[in-house]
Amino acid sequence: MISAESEVQVDTPEVRVTRWRLSPGSSTGHHIHEMDYVIVPVTSGEMTIVAPGGERSKAQLGAGKSYFRKAGVEHDVLNESAEEIVFLEVELKP
């Protein structure tokens, strides 16, 4: 699988903002979120989420429709669609 592209746009003592670009066939790689975070989709699309045990689920993104998650989420995010997926990840530093 191809690695997703990430670019840290803001990194202050309070917050880190990263832009993620997942081309078709790419993934973020398995990771654990160490901080609470907000996802702000730039594009609409469907992501595949793979949990640590291998369970797979689909997540629908709507451009501009943000969502929040607590620290501790562990997963890999895949783009198994034919369209690029772009979102901002806003991590809230303790």
Side-chain angles (χ1 to χ4, degrees):
M1 181 131 314
I2 304 164
S3 293
E5 295 179 30
S6 64
E7 175 192 359
V8 175
Q9 296 181 332
V10 176
D11 196 358
T12 70
E14 300 82 17
V15 66
R16 179 170 48 222
V17 179
T18 305
R19 182 185 68 186
W20 286 92
R21 300 180 75 93
L22 282 77
S23 60
S26 69
S27 76
T28 60
H30 181 84
H31 59 280
I32 300 172
H33 289 269
E34 303 292 333
M35 296 176 264
D36 293 350
Y37 65 100
V38 175
I39 297 296
V40 183
V42 175
T43 61
S44 296
E46 181 179 82
M47 300 186 306
T48 302
I49 309 299
V50 182
E55 302 87 12
R56 298 165 68 88
S57 61
K58 300 290 184 176
Q60 298 297 322
L61 296 180
K65 295 184 180 179
S66 304
Y67 63 89
F68 169 81
R69 298 286 185 267
K70 297 291 288 176
V73 172
E74 184 176 357
H75 58 203
D76 189 0
V77 178
L78 316 174
N79 181 359
E80 297 180 319
S81 76
E83 302 295 326
E84 180 179 60
I85 295 170
V86 181
F87 60 88
L88 299 176
E89 175 185 59
V90 182
E91 296 174 289
L92 308 172
K93 296 182 179 180

